[in-house]
Amino acid sequence: MIQSKSTIEMTKVHNFSAGPGILPAEVLQQAAEACINFDNLNLSLLEISHRSKNFEAVIAEARALVKELLGVKDGYEVLFLGGGASLQFAMVPYNLLRTEGTAGYVNTGVWASKAIKEAKIIGNTQVIASSEDKKFTYIPKNYEIPANLDYLHITSNNTIYGTQMKSFPKTSVPLVCDMSSDIFSRKVNGNDFALIYAGAQKNMGPAGTTMVAVREDCLGKTGRKMLSMLDYQVQIKGGSMYNTPPVFPIYVSLLTLKWLKKNGGIEWIEKVNQQKAATLYNEIDRNSMFIGTTAKEDRSNMNVTFVMHKPELEPEFDKLAKEVNLSGIRGHRDVGGYRASLYNALPLESVNALVEVMQAFEKKFA
Ligand SMILES: *Cc1c(COP(=O)(O)O)cnc(C)c1O
């Protein structure tokens, strides 16, 4: 028996997990059903060919929805690959950095640093701006972008530190963006980017697939002999099926994107996300027990980081949080304190529950 939707909802855990993150309850229910009987085939999605017309329809619809939600024009291709966002740290330079060229990177945290590490192995790589001097608590601004770069790599949202780019660099250099933790959370113009990638498990679906949207005219220029699996052009030609793709994560990502569209799309979710983030940041700023860890103008609407004035009271706060079923609010091991991730599927109600606990904590211990 599949657990009914009402049973899932009754549990009422407020899930602030940073990733893999919360998915809509109805998506979990539909995903569970597809594991038993997909498309009324009396077969599981997990036991049919990825080349069946039923799965071809899934991947085609997922691709079309990504294009629609990013607003990209013709000339962009959408891929669903394995290997996580971390494989894209290597595939991006491998496919876009010419053997004699230079790639530019903005270093805004651990993920950006890992991307830089891979690019350096593949070719000339220049870090043109960094916020490492202040432990990545802000977004660098007003840096110069050399016009000769093959591309400029940025990270739109820094999951660990809780910073987010509120605007993107204006440049003629092709922009590449790791949007793993804020894709489809706010309006962006996809056409401003040569390539966008995002691991699904933060805001788009479950772990196991990474979405890549790439402007095709950027490809095939490196002068490098390419390994097939790591070649975007091979993957495009194969329709993300050069090998067997991660069928289940792609399907659940499609369900999540359909849920987003049905509820009002990016315009709707952007407003909801702004309201959730404002509610929590207002409380952090008001509450005498807590303090935000990032520059105010760069605060992320997805990952809200904060610490306590008296860290010795953390166990007391954790106890209160547990009593009302708040889950996943401990900060990343590199930062400490707290991090509440407010991904698309997290309702305002959960943020209100966290705020209430913060207020109760202040009353008791201030
Ligand atoms: C989580 C995350 C990654 C790593 O994703 P994997 O799929 O685990 O490789 C990369 N970049 C950002 C911004 C992330 O949040």
Side-chain angles (χ1 to χ4, degrees):
M1 276 290 289
I2 300 170
Q3 195 183 27
S4 76
K5 185 181 165 192
S6 58
T7 324
I8 291 175
E9 282 181 347
M10 261 169 51
T11 322
K12 276 279 177 259
V13 170
H14 300 288
N15 183 5
F16 294 93
S17 172
I22 184 169
L23 290 167
E26 67 185 71
V27 165
L28 296 179
Q29 183 63 30
Q30 291 163 348
E33 277 159 14
C35 283
I36 306 297
N37 180 4
F38 175 58
D39 262 5
N40 290 321
L41 295 172
N42 287 320
L43 291 166
S44 167
L45 170 69
L46 306 180
E47 56 180 3
I48 62 167
S49 168
H50 56 292
R51 304 206 182 271
S52 62
K53 76 174 190 327
N54 303 71
F55 188 75
E56 292 265 13
V58 166
I59 206 162
E61 192 179 0
R63 205 179 284 137
L65 253 180
V66 166
K67 281 190 189 172
E68 184 184 326
L69 292 167
L70 288 176
V72 292
K73 301 195 183 101
D74 291 345
Y76 283 82
E77 290 287 344
V78 173
L79 299 168
F80 293 94
L81 305 176
S86 299
L87 182 61
Q88 297 312 308
F89 298 161
M91 278 180 80
V92 163
Y94 189 65
N95 283 268
L96 299 182
L97 175 51
R98 290 170 303 144
T99 48
E100 303 298 323
T102 302
Y105 279 73
V106 179
N107 188 3
T108 50
V110 162
W111 299 120
S113 304
K114 286 187 168 169
I116 292 163
K117 181 180 168 213
E118 301 301 279
K120 280 186 171 164
I121 292 169
I122 289 172
N124 293 325
T125 303
Q126 200 181 336
V127 177
I128 65 162
S130 169
S131 51
E132 197 170 8
D133 58 338
K134 290 185 183 165
K135 292 188 175 157
F136 302 118
T137 53
Y138 71 103
I139 299 287
K141 295 169 196 84
N142 303 319
Y143 43 86
E144 216 154 299
I145 302 168
N148 67 335
L149 296 176
D150 283 355
Y151 64 86
L152 175 65
H153 181 284
I154 57 177
T155 310
S156 54
N157 185 73
N158 299 284
T159 327
I160 293 172
Y161 311 90
T163 62
Q164 186 175 33
M165 288 186 170
K166 301 298 170 181
S167 63
F168 299 106
K170 302 255 174 304
T171 173
S172 57
V173 168
L175 262 187
V176 173
C177 190
D178 176 357
M179 287 195 193
S180 292
S181 53
D182 69 350
I183 187 122
F184 306 132
S185 71
R186 56 171 170 166
K187 190 154 182 48
V188 298
N189 183 358
N191 301 294
D192 292 343
F193 300 88
L195 189 150
I196 293 168
Y197 65 93
Q201 73 272 20
K202 309 288 172 43
N203 211 27
M204 192 177 80
T209 191
T210 300
M211 190 285 295
V212 178
V214 58
R215 214 175 60 216
E216 225 183 337
D217 65 6
C218 302
L219 302 175
K221 297 176 177 169
T222 63
R224 189 171 284 119
K225 228 178 164 178
M226 304 289 285
L227 293 162
S228 307
M229 275 295 284
L230 301 183
D231 186 341
Y232 290 132
Q233 287 183 313
V234 169
Q235 294 288 1
I236 289 168
K237 198 156 164 257
S240 297
M241 298 205 210
Y242 177 76
N243 73 326
T244 315
V247 292
F248 190 63
I250 294 171
Y251 180 64
V252 181
S253 297
L254 170 62
L255 293 175
T256 310
L257 296 178
K258 283 169 81 164
W259 166 87
L260 176 58
K261 183 175 171 180
K262 185 186 79 181
N263 282 290
I266 302 286
E267 243 172 80
W268 164 71
I269 203 67
E270 181 167 34
K271 282 200 201 98
V272 174
N273 287 336
Q274 277 166 355
Q275 196 188 356
K276 289 186 302 192
T279 302
L280 185 48
Y281 283 121
N282 286 343
E283 179 59 21
I284 290 168
D285 292 342
R286 188 210 60 77
N287 194 308
S288 62
M289 306 299 284
F290 298 97
I291 181 165
T293 57
T294 60
K296 281 193 179 172
E297 70 272 18
D298 301 324
R299 283 174 159 180
S300 168
N301 284 352
M302 290 281 98
N303 312 98
V304 177
T305 50
F306 53 103
V307 293
M308 234 176 245
H309 286 295
K310 297 179 189 157
E312 65 274 16
L313 288 177
E314 281 185 3
E316 299 292 344
F317 183 68
D318 294 350
K319 211 156 60 185
L320 289 179
K322 204 169 166 216
E323 277 168 22
V324 294
N325 284 328
L326 301 191
S327 169
I329 57 168
R330 291 300 316 198
H332 186 275
R333 58 189 180 279
D334 290 352
V335 178
Y338 294 92
R339 169 175 55 171
S341 297
L342 315 182
Y343 296 131
N344 287 355
L346 185 92
L348 178 62
E349 186 197 343
S350 291
V351 177
N352 289 335
L354 172 55
V355 166
E356 278 168 30
V357 171
M358 293 165 78
Q359 292 174 350
F361 178 72
E362 185 188 34
K363 274 215 181 86
K364 205 164 163 191
F365 292 99

